[in-house]
Amino acid sequence: MTITTLFSSTDDSGDDDEATTPADKSELHYTLKNLSLKLDDLSTCNDLIAKHGAALQRSLTELDGLKIPSESGEKLKAVNERATLFRITSNAMINACRDFLELAEIHSRKWQRALQYEQEQRVHLEETIEQLAKQHNSLERAFRSAPGRPANPSKGFIEGSLLTPKGEDSEEDEDTEYFDAMEDSTSFITVITEAKEDRYLEAEGALWPLLTGVSPLLWQVLDGASLVPKGSSKVKRRVRIPNKPNYSLNLWSIMKNCIGRELSRIPMPVNFNEPLSMLQRLTEDLEYHHLLDKAVHCTSSVEQMCLVAAFSVSSYSTTVHRIAKPFNPMLGETFELDRLDDMGLRSLCEQVSHHPPSAAHYVFSKHGWSLWQEITISSKFRGKYISIMPLGAIHLEFQASGNHYVWRKSTSTVHNIIVGKLWIDQSGDIEIVNHKTNDRCQLKFLPYSYFSKEAARKVTGVVSDSQGKAHYVLSGSWDEQMECSKVVHSSPSSPSSDGKQKTVYQTLSAKLLWKKYPLPENAENMYYFSELALTLNEHEEGVAPTDSRLRPDQRLMEKGCWDEANTEKQRLEEKQRLSRRRRLEACGPGSSCSSEEEKEADAYTPLWFEKRLDPLTGEMACVYKGGYWEAKEKQDWHMCPNIF
């Protein structure tokens, strides 16, 4: 499943980390001016109290000199005593105010100078850091283009890759958050074989696959033939959606109180969404299905593994610009992709759990393969970034050969939540295992680092047989392309200064396995959707009433009616909460349910999938039990719940 994350483009400013602007300075001076005026008012009141207090005392002294009855004299004496107390208290207050006024006048000037100094120091520090980053970038590019470095990386040693580093001459975004590279970023070294017979082999192109040990079928794929599927749809699909409205909303203002919480439990407005559900994003993994169609014809399992590995990497290619959050599906929501005519496959997804969010997926291809998975999304907001951990195994089986591949997803991370431009990265290791032959592919997604010499978004891998012998080296990037090279010899390298030893693979020239399709025209205004993504929410007749295409808040958002979409989203969420309460009540206090999650799992039964024990992983997972396409053919949806 393509994990994306996550959030739509938002205001790049942060509430807590903003630099001091001219408006801030103006406000500061305005505040200091107001404080000075208040001190002047306090001084005036001080003078008035002293003046009126003295006048009151004189009046009372004059009353003392008058001849009045004894009873009135007693009362006048009491008033005089109280006035004396008032005078003493007023004098004490006047003295305290005078002291405060003097102290405030002295420190006001000190505070103003201190604030001015702090502002200047902050600006100077920001300018210094920016200058250092630019100088480092210039030095890095100068080093890469230095005469001493080989112009063609294929002529020398390349650690973990056969590709020319990508984006050497591009300026990195100044708002990007940088991270240190992993200490042992690559575990092997490759070197291209330059046999003397190369020219002869190039001239005798027909013999090349045989002499290199690569099967003609795989060579046809790697040589660039049939990289793009040739199927044509009988149905005309849409090629654009309404442009995304230019609404500004600060992500940090919503997320700052949610640090450490499960992301699926945080209520988010549609402003941070894209008009697709997570089920549709899951289906989007099939964009490069033709890699599996070609893999069907491979007679060698290790060659087939190369294409399966390229397919697993291709599912991340759409995430590089897709930082918007897909809609969290309603419990029981489904999504079908019936594309037998042009893609040769049928796909069905169902949301089988809401907390934690979990989706089951099954794909059948008429070309001879099937894929199924149950993916549970675990996501945490960490303050400066969001981590998304997809849990669950992905199964792929080829019917003719019986080869059964299993792998799991890597971790996706969305950076710069507080300040800067949002960007997404993939990191971690993926192991693909063929459980029939025990062939393995170890893929490593290198986390991005500004200070690393490695290309951005780099992926490396090795395909080995059941004996651990390496047959192919894979290299490329998860957002652009993957290549493979046939291994002709391997040997250990000399120990490095830290005592670590790497394997040196001697390989033939790299051949292209997969290359990303270009984005449609105007994609930047259409959520960076690919051609397939643009068609996923297109209205279709005959789908189940629980299909994501029929979700009203998602449809309103796609049309640009975001206020109405937010209102509708709140209605649907309240309806789902009511349904959940009813299920939990039906579960009853006397049942065996021990927690709310278990209660919900026991109370809700998926419609098209059922829980079974996975014999390969030992985990319980939802697998397709059948019946959906038969129900669609009959247009009998009486069993579907009313979730919208």
Side-chain angles (χ1 to χ4, degrees):
M1 179 186 63
T2 303
I3 307 298
T4 71
T5 202
L6 296 181
F7 296 97
S8 60
S9 298
T10 60
D11 186 0
D12 287 345
S13 63
D15 290 344
D16 296 337
D17 286 9
E18 288 187 14
T20 305
T21 63
D24 296 329
K25 294 179 180 178
S26 176
E27 183 180 357
L28 181 61
H29 290 305
Y30 177 74
T31 303
L32 290 172
K33 184 179 178 181
N34 278 343
L35 286 174
S36 298
L37 292 175
K38 294 298 180 184
L39 287 173
D40 291 340
D41 292 343
L42 188 59
S43 178
T44 302
C45 291
N46 178 23
D47 295 338
L48 288 175
I49 288 175
K51 178 181 177 181
H52 293 307
L56 176 62
Q57 194 63 37
R58 284 196 303 272
S59 299
L60 290 172
T61 302
E62 291 172 357
L63 285 175
D64 263 343
L66 297 178
K67 293 181 179 180
I68 52 176
S70 59
E71 184 179 350
S72 299
E74 292 294 330
K75 289 185 179 180
L76 185 61
K77 185 178 179 181
V79 171
N80 194 19
E81 289 174 354
R82 290 176 183 174
T84 302
L85 289 174
F86 173 75
R87 177 174 57 80
I88 294 170
T89 305
S90 297
N91 286 336
M93 187 190 73
I94 289 170
N95 293 332
C97 288
R98 185 183 298 112
D99 293 341
F100 171 77
L101 180 61
E102 293 174 356
L103 194 62
E105 287 177 343
I106 294 171
H107 286 284
S108 176
R109 292 189 289 271
K110 291 182 179 179
W111 292 339
Q112 194 164 0
R113 288 195 299 269
L115 285 172
Q116 184 67 28
Y117 176 77
E118 290 296 329
Q119 290 171 7
E120 292 172 355
Q121 288 296 103
R122 179 170 179 172
V123 171
H124 178 68
L125 182 60
E126 289 173 351
E127 291 174 350
T128 303
I129 293 174
E130 181 181 5
Q131 186 177 4
L132 285 173
K134 289 181 178 179
Q135 288 176 355
H136 190 284
N137 192 27
S138 300
L139 288 172
E140 184 183 45
R141 288 188 285 113
F143 170 72
R144 287 177 175 172
S145 59
R149 287 173 61 85
N152 185 358
S154 65
K155 300 293 185 182
F157 290 88
I158 312 162
E159 296 193 3
S161 176
L162 296 171
L163 296 177
T164 304
K166 183 182 59 164
E168 293 175 357
D169 299 326
S170 62
E171 290 284 347
E172 296 295 338
D173 194 313
E174 296 177 2
D175 291 330
T176 301
E177 184 177 3
Y178 304 116
F179 297 86
D180 292 335
M182 296 192 306
E183 291 182 2
D184 188 19
S185 59
T186 55
S187 57
F188 59 87
I189 302 172
T190 60
V191 59
I192 306 299
T193 299
E194 294 186 2
K196 295 179 180 179
E197 297 85 0
D198 277 356
R199 293 183 181 178
Y200 170 76
L201 293 175
E202 289 174 4
E204 301 294 333
L207 296 176
W208 177 251
L210 300 177
L211 294 172
T212 56
V214 181
S215 70
L217 279 171
L218 180 61
W219 192 263
Q220 184 183 17
V221 177
L222 301 188
D223 204 30
S226 305
L227 281 176
V228 180
K230 294 182 171 56
S232 59
S233 174
K234 298 178 183 177
V235 179
K236 187 177 181 180
R237 306 286 176 180
R238 67 181 185 181
V239 295
R240 65 168 295 108
I241 59 174
N243 285 353
K244 175 185 174 182
N246 187 21
Y247 286 164
S248 176
L249 192 60
N250 190 292
L251 177 60
W252 175 244
S253 63
I254 292 179
M255 300 294 291
K256 61 186 177 183
N257 296 322
C258 306
I259 297 176
R261 291 178 58 187
E262 171 65 38
L263 192 61
S264 63
R265 294 179 180 267
I266 300 174
M268 302 288 289
V270 300
N271 306 54
F272 299 119
N273 285 55
E274 62 179 16
L276 288 178
S277 75
M278 185 61 78
L279 303 181
Q280 291 164 316
R281 291 299 297 271
L282 193 61
T283 306
E284 209 176 331
D285 282 10
L286 302 172
E287 182 152 15
Y288 299 95
H289 62 92
H290 65 278
L291 293 171
L292 302 182
D293 298 341
K294 297 300 178 184
V296 170
H297 303 290
C298 290
T299 55
S300 167
S301 60
V302 290
E303 293 172 357
Q304 189 177 70
M305 177 70 83
C306 291
L307 291 167
V308 173
F311 173 78
S312 69
V313 174
S314 71
S315 65
Y316 296 97
S317 61
T318 61
T319 67
V320 65
H321 298 297
R322 300 273 291 280
I323 52 177
K325 177 183 180 295
F327 278 81
N328 196 24
M330 313 294 289
L331 189 61
E333 186 175 332
T334 60
F335 179 73
E336 68 159 70
L337 188 69
D338 192 355
R339 300 285 287 271
L340 281 173
D341 57 343
D342 58 334
M343 296 174 66
L345 56 83
R346 275 179 163 176
S347 167
L348 177 66
C349 295
E350 181 180 2
Q351 187 77 358
V352 296
S353 173
H354 189 63
H355 286 306
S358 181
H361 185 202
Y362 178 76
V363 188
F364 165 78
S365 171
K366 67 180 182 181
H367 296 292
W369 58 268
S370 56
L371 181 148
W372 64 95
Q373 60 183 320
E374 181 187 350
I375 296 294
T376 300
I377 301 299
S378 176
S379 51
K380 287 288 186 179
F381 175 52
R382 306 294 187 182
K384 295 175 66 177
Y385 62 91
I386 294 172
S387 295
I388 303 170
M389 294 77 69
L391 310 175
I394 304 171
H395 293 259
L396 171 65
E397 186 174 26
F398 293 93
Q399 278 78 35
S401 64
N403 288 332
H404 189 150
Y405 298 88
V406 179
W407 70 93
R408 299 175 187 270
K409 286 286 186 180
S410 65
T411 298
S412 301
T413 306
V414 180
H415 297 277
N416 289 349
I417 298 300
I418 299 177
V419 63
K421 184 178 180 181
L422 292 173
W423 60 281
I424 191 168
D425 195 19
Q426 314 292 343
S427 60
D429 297 340
I430 294 179
E431 182 182 51
I432 307 175
V433 180
N434 183 344
H435 284 271
K436 180 183 178 183
T437 64
N438 207 29
D439 298 337
R440 294 175 184 269
C441 176
Q442 301 286 347
L443 290 172
K444 181 181 286 292
F445 289 69
L446 302 183
Y448 175 70
S449 171
Y450 177 78
F451 303 104
S452 172
K453 65 180 180 180
E454 305 287 6
R457 298 175 278 275
K458 183 178 177 180
V459 181
T460 63
V462 178
V463 176
S464 307
D465 60 21
S466 59
Q467 305 301 318
K469 179 184 176 182
H471 287 261
Y472 287 93
V473 170
L474 306 179
S475 58
S477 60
W478 54 262
D479 68 322
E480 188 172 301
Q481 66 180 35
M482 288 295 293
E483 295 182 340
C484 78
S485 302
K486 176 73 174 176
V487 176
V488 295
H489 184 263
S490 63
S491 61
S493 67
S494 301
S496 60
S497 57
D498 57 1
K500 294 182 179 179
Q501 197 173 36
K502 297 184 179 182
T503 303
V504 177
Y505 293 118
Q506 192 176 3
T507 69
L508 301 173
S509 298
K511 289 296 178 179
L512 185 66
L513 274 174
W514 158 77
K515 187 174 179 64
K516 181 185 176 183
Y517 300 145
L519 289 174
E521 184 180 356
N522 195 42
E524 65 276 6
N525 294 318
M526 298 186 295
Y527 308 90
Y528 286 98
F529 281 180
S530 63
E531 288 187 5
L532 176 62
L534 287 173
T535 67
L536 292 180
N537 204 43
E538 187 173 10
H539 181 74
E540 288 192 16
E541 297 292 338
V543 299
T546 53
D547 197 273
S548 299
R549 300 175 180 90
L550 304 177
R551 182 166 173 164
D553 54 348
Q554 187 173 299
R555 181 65 62 186
L556 285 168
M557 185 200 173
E558 182 185 272
K559 293 179 179 179
C561 307
W562 286 15
D563 292 337
E564 295 86 343
N566 276 316
T567 302
E568 192 64 21
K569 183 172 182 286
Q570 292 174 5
R571 182 189 68 82
L572 290 175
E573 289 172 348
E574 182 56 37
K575 183 175 182 178
Q576 181 166 252
R577 282 191 286 269
L578 180 60
S579 299
R580 181 173 182 271
R581 283 196 294 269
R582 289 172 177 170
R583 285 196 308 274
L584 295 178
E585 290 170 0
C587 186
S591 69
S592 60
C593 305
S594 59
S595 67
E596 288 204 353
E597 286 78 6
E598 290 176 356
K599 280 185 179 182
E600 184 170 1
D602 289 345
Y604 178 76
T605 303
L607 195 56
W608 310 109
F609 292 79
E610 61 183 1
K611 283 279 186 184
R612 293 181 191 169
L613 179 65
D614 188 332
L616 297 180
T617 65
E619 302 170 351
M620 294 297 294
C622 283
V623 295
Y624 181 59
K625 65 181 181 181
Y628 180 87
W629 302 108
E630 293 78 5
K632 181 182 180 181
E633 186 177 353
K634 298 176 183 178
Q635 282 299 292
D636 180 13
W637 304 114
H638 73 278
M639 72 294 289
C640 293
N642 178 13
I643 60 175
F644 298 143

